[in-house]
Amino acid sequence: MKGLNDRIAHIDGQTQLVGIIGYPVAHSLSPEMHNAAFAELGMNWRYVPLLVAPDRLADALRGVLALGFRGVNVTVPHKVACIPYLDSVTEAVTIAGAVNTIRIDASQGKLEGLNTDMSGFLADLAVNRISVGEDSHVVILGAGGAARSIGAGLARSGARIVFVNRTLERGLEIVEFLRSTWESCNVEAVGLDRLAEVSREATLIVNATSVGMFPYTDSSPWREGVPFPKQAVLYDTIYRPLQTKLMRDAERSGLRVIGGLGMLVYQGAAAFEMWTGKKPPIELMRQVCLQRLSQS
Ligand code: ATR
């Protein structure tokens, strides 16, 4: 019996639940990362993956509220679609236009939408001692949700920010939005054909496209033949694989490179703190993710 008891997860009437709503969701590292943190702090909380098809999203959100969940993460394809079902959202959500974390106030029956992707990125920059200010020149590759969150997170710094995207119109839309929010921000958008010209003086290059992500690990969003600016730091928001082709190529050209693992960990840590009010064991969370990613 002893062996069996050791293998049975202890769940009882006091267990608090959180989880992640996505479609698909099986690949998510968040359950392991959060459950390890709960175990480390001796908390009777569990984090579960919740597979929710797009047409069941409204039911699922009502469901987690009714079931007394303390919160959920939200991932693809629900990050924008969930917003109409929430009772309130933070400024970061309004700016980024997306939610990745919901805090549930069961006593009031309310769902609050948060965006910890943006704060996760900024936290990881700080940990890596990268400061962005008026003298910085940031090139953001991409113009999807991730690029928008990162651009919004950096727009207040006074840095020059250029979005470089395959579809120019999407970049221009972000620029228009950021200018309407911070009139004086220094942002522009160009097509991929102008990458060489706008990246020459870059101090920070951020890949916010999905190009190079598993399983397409042989691709890179960097245009062939365009030289890497040696003075820049390259930050790839992709964490699977841990080292992308873009990171390898940039490193070979002498750039300092940083992968997306830190952003993943800090967005999770911020969600953990929002739900539990406790400081998460960040290093443990990083180790759990690192271990899983090194295996795949
Ligand atoms: P997310 O919300 O995760 O940022 P997204 O909205 O699908 O995801 O955005 C993905 C980004 O990767 C976009 O900037 C996309 O470029 P387009 O706006 O032109 O679609 C970029 N992207 C994806 N595949 C690409 C490819 N093969 N080449 C260049 N850019 C690509």
Side-chain angles (χ1 to χ4, degrees):
M1 275 303 276
K2 185 175 178 303
L4 181 61
N5 280 339
D6 288 345
R7 280 183 280 132
I8 297 173
H10 180 83
I11 292 176
D12 59 24
Q14 305 300 316
T15 305
Q16 303 294 309
L17 288 176
V18 287
I20 179 163
I21 291 180
Y23 193 79
V25 79
H27 64 286
S28 172
L29 298 175
S30 295
E32 276 180 62
M33 174 166 70
H34 285 276
N35 284 322
F38 294 143
E40 172 78 5
L41 299 186
M43 295 170 68
N44 191 5
W45 286 54
R46 295 293 184 278
Y47 186 111
V48 288
L50 302 163
L51 182 68
V52 175
D55 62 338
R56 305 310 298 272
L57 178 62
D59 285 345
L61 291 172
R62 274 194 295 271
V64 289
L65 180 60
L67 291 166
F69 273 60
R70 301 294 297 270
V72 282
N73 281 132
V74 183
T75 189
V76 179
H78 304 310
K79 285 187 171 191
V80 178
C82 68
I83 295 177
Y85 306 112
L86 306 177
D87 298 292
S88 61
V89 294
T90 59
E91 189 197 25
V93 169
T94 310
I95 293 167
V99 164
N100 77 323
T101 302
I102 297 175
R103 184 157 53 180
I104 302 177
D105 182 344
S107 64
Q108 302 289 319
K110 299 241 185 291
L111 302 171
E112 181 190 15
L114 317 163
N115 185 310
T116 66
D117 283 336
M118 190 197 287
S119 55
F121 172 73
L122 295 176
D124 197 39
L125 278 192
V127 166
N128 281 289
R129 298 181 196 287
I130 296 167
S131 54
V132 176
E134 278 174 17
D135 296 335
S136 311
H137 175 174
V138 185
V139 169
I140 299 177
L141 306 175
R148 189 178 166 118
S149 293
I150 286 165
L154 296 177
R156 260 182 280 208
S157 67
R160 176 178 176 214
I161 299 174
V162 185
F163 292 90
V164 181
N165 199 43
R166 179 179 59 179
T167 315
L168 175 61
E169 292 70 32
R170 289 189 84 193
L172 292 173
E173 263 170 45
I174 300 184
V175 164
E176 193 183 331
F177 172 80
L178 292 178
R179 284 197 187 134
S180 68
T181 311
W182 297 288
E183 219 172 286
S184 62
C185 70
N186 186 358
V187 290
E188 63 182 301
V190 300
L192 265 176
D193 54 318
R194 289 183 57 198
L195 176 64
E197 169 199 338
V198 298
S199 64
R200 206 168 294 134
E201 309 283 320
T203 54
L204 175 64
I205 299 164
V206 182
N207 176 32
T209 76
S210 47
V211 185
M213 196 183 285
F214 179 84
Y216 305 106
T217 52
D218 287 338
S219 14
S220 163
W222 200 258
R223 272 207 152 185
E224 205 137 320
V226 174
F228 283 102
K230 287 193 177 29
Q231 73 284 352
V233 174
L234 178 110
Y235 191 108
D236 199 330
T237 62
I238 293 174
Y239 56 82
R240 198 192 305 258
L242 284 164
Q243 204 190 28
T244 59
K245 174 168 171 20
L246 173 64
M247 287 166 71
R248 280 197 306 276
D249 292 347
E251 195 164 37
R252 219 174 285 132
S253 296
L255 280 73
R256 178 182 168 201
V257 300
I258 301 169
L261 177 66
M263 185 176 170
L264 169 75
V265 171
Y266 284 105
Q267 66 74 31
F272 185 99
E273 197 167 345
M274 291 287 180
W275 295 325
T276 66
K278 290 192 193 303
K279 291 268 174 242
I282 291 177
E283 266 324 296
L284 172 79
M285 292 164 86
R286 185 194 302 276
Q287 287 310 319
V288 169
C289 293
L290 199 53
Q291 199 176 357
R292 259 285 296 277
L293 290 166
S294 315
Q295 286 161 358
S296 54

